[in-house]
Amino acid sequence: MPLAAPPPPITVVIDRHDDAIHTHTALAAHHPPSGRITLHPGPGTTSETGLAHDLLAALGKPPLLPGRFPGGRQPAWEAATAWITALPVTRLSVLRAHRLTTHRTMRLLQLQALTGIHLTLVCHRPHLPAALHQALRTADYSVTANFEAARRHYYGTPVTELPLADEPAGPASRWLTLPALDRLVSYDSPRPCTDPCTPPLIAWRHRPPPVPLTAHTAQQVAHRLHAATAHPRLAAAVVAALFTGASLQQLATARPRDYDTAAARLALHDRARYTDGCAAYPVPPWAGVFLRAAVCFTRFVSGEDQELLIGPGNRGHLLRVAETARLRPPQPPAARRKGPVGRVEWDWRERQEAERYEAMLASRVRPSRR
């Protein structure tokens, strides 16, 4: 997905004497909610995947992506690119850039070309090393050795160092019980539409709509999911379940084209009308970042015709992501639990409805007359 406009020139900062003030200032500028990321690559690794994992960690995410991927290669760069595209991240400062290999530097240049991020490479040496010089041969870049100029690049212009509110913590120990997750493991089985389908807005004729999350709860859910997984599609699937009340099978019918960014709507498909039929669901503002990241990631990894949110074999991974974020549906009373205490029972409501249906059928059966 190339940018409409060329990305800004790369800035190379020459820290001639490896002064601690450069490192401290760049690290102090790191604040993702303000759009600033400072990447301090881990020592002792030269792999491109390792650098992507460092970048995901700088974004506040666990570096490993759950699930299986073609060729056994984790799409860590694709995930990092998707999150930077979707989040309000505009600046990336990379410390110890003189240690980067040519290939790792080229990865950062590709990231900048795809996202348009302001990229600053900090070289703690008097001169550019050969690998960095080689990677920058065809790039548009400028060099500065002035600390104040470097500081402006770390923070942006004008420099903003006002006190910032603390970021909400990662997944807390307290569970958030969310009724909208009741149908996530429903037994319905809708299939995606093979022909182009632009369904109307959901009418909620067959079931009540999920209760919208309060602003506080939505913020908690968003921060917990951001910290729980680096996988854009799994995070977006949990989010979509919360504003649609849809089952895992119905979430699997969505494709990248089914998310309309301009209208803030997500289309899910159900031609056989197991529940609501094909319908479009309004996407609340807090959820948009997850859908945007999922669309970007899916297009990078799979293409337009693959699942946007979840595919076959990912049910276990999806439920583990929700549990890592401490999100669950309402749980059965202690007397009705089927599993050990502490384990989330995802299908309790489904079992309850099935039992009611069986009891209703049994009540209609009359003893035969002889």
Side-chain angles (χ1 to χ4, degrees), residues 132-359:
L132 192 55
H133 187 271
Q134 173 75 12
L136 292 171
R137 278 192 313 166
T138 59
D140 181 10
Y141 73 97
S142 61
V143 180
T144 182
N146 181 274
F147 171 71
E148 288 301 326
R151 186 166 170 269
R152 286 194 293 272
H153 286 291
Y154 302 150
Y155 278 94
T157 305
V159 173
T160 54
E161 294 183 84
L162 297 175
L164 294 162
D166 292 336
E167 295 177 49
S173 59
R174 186 178 67 84
W175 286 96
L176 283 180
T177 299
L178 304 168
L181 295 177
D182 262 338
R183 291 189 61 251
L184 187 59
V185 295
S186 175
Y187 305 138
D188 62 16
S189 55
R191 295 182 180 180
C193 292
T194 54
D195 298 324
C197 177
T198 53
L201 195 63
I202 179 72
W204 302 112
R205 293 191 184 95
H206 307 290
R207 60 186 176 100
V211 178
L213 303 184
T214 65
H216 177 68
T217 301
Q219 184 185 41
Q220 282 187 296
V221 168
H223 283 291
R224 288 182 180 206
L225 283 173
H226 276 304
T229 184
H231 201 307
R233 292 168 68 183
L234 294 181
V238 176
V239 167
L242 291 175
F243 66 80
T244 64
S247 67
L248 185 149
Q249 290 92 332
Q250 192 169 14
L251 294 174
T253 66
R255 299 294 183 266
R257 60 180 173 270
D258 288 317
Y259 175 51
D260 186 334
T261 307
R265 290 183 181 180
L266 174 67
L268 300 179
H269 302 277
D270 179 17
R271 261 210 162 147
R273 294 187 175 277
Y274 282 93
T275 51
D276 307 304
C278 299
Y281 299 78
V283 178
W286 69 270
V289 62
F290 295 95
L291 272 296
R292 292 193 296 274
V295 168
C296 183
F297 180 76
T298 303
R299 286 172 173 163
F300 280 139
V301 174
S302 307
E304 289 286 347
D305 293 325
Q306 295 301 309
E307 295 87 355
L308 170 62
L309 301 172
I310 187 167
N314 276 329
R315 168 180 161 145
H317 295 303
L318 178 68
L319 299 186
R320 277 193 290 275
V321 165
E323 291 178 17
T324 300
R326 309 292 281 181
L327 309 176
R328 66 181 182 185
Q331 295 296 286
R336 301 200 61 182
R337 291 193 65 87
K338 298 291 186 181
V341 175
R343 192 182 76 182
V344 177
E345 295 197 17
W346 288 93
D347 63 346
W348 174 59
R349 293 290 187 191
E350 286 291 311
R351 293 201 319 265
Q352 189 179 47
E353 289 180 10
E355 290 168 3
R356 287 174 181 168
Y357 182 69
E358 290 173 0

Side-chain angles (χ1 to χ4, degrees), residues 15 18-28 38 40 95-96 124:
D15 173 18
D18 196 5
D19 289 329
I21 192 172
H22 271 282
T23 300
H24 292 165
T25 304
L27 290 174
T38 299
H40 200 176
L95 294 167
R96 303 289 154 192
H124 305 268

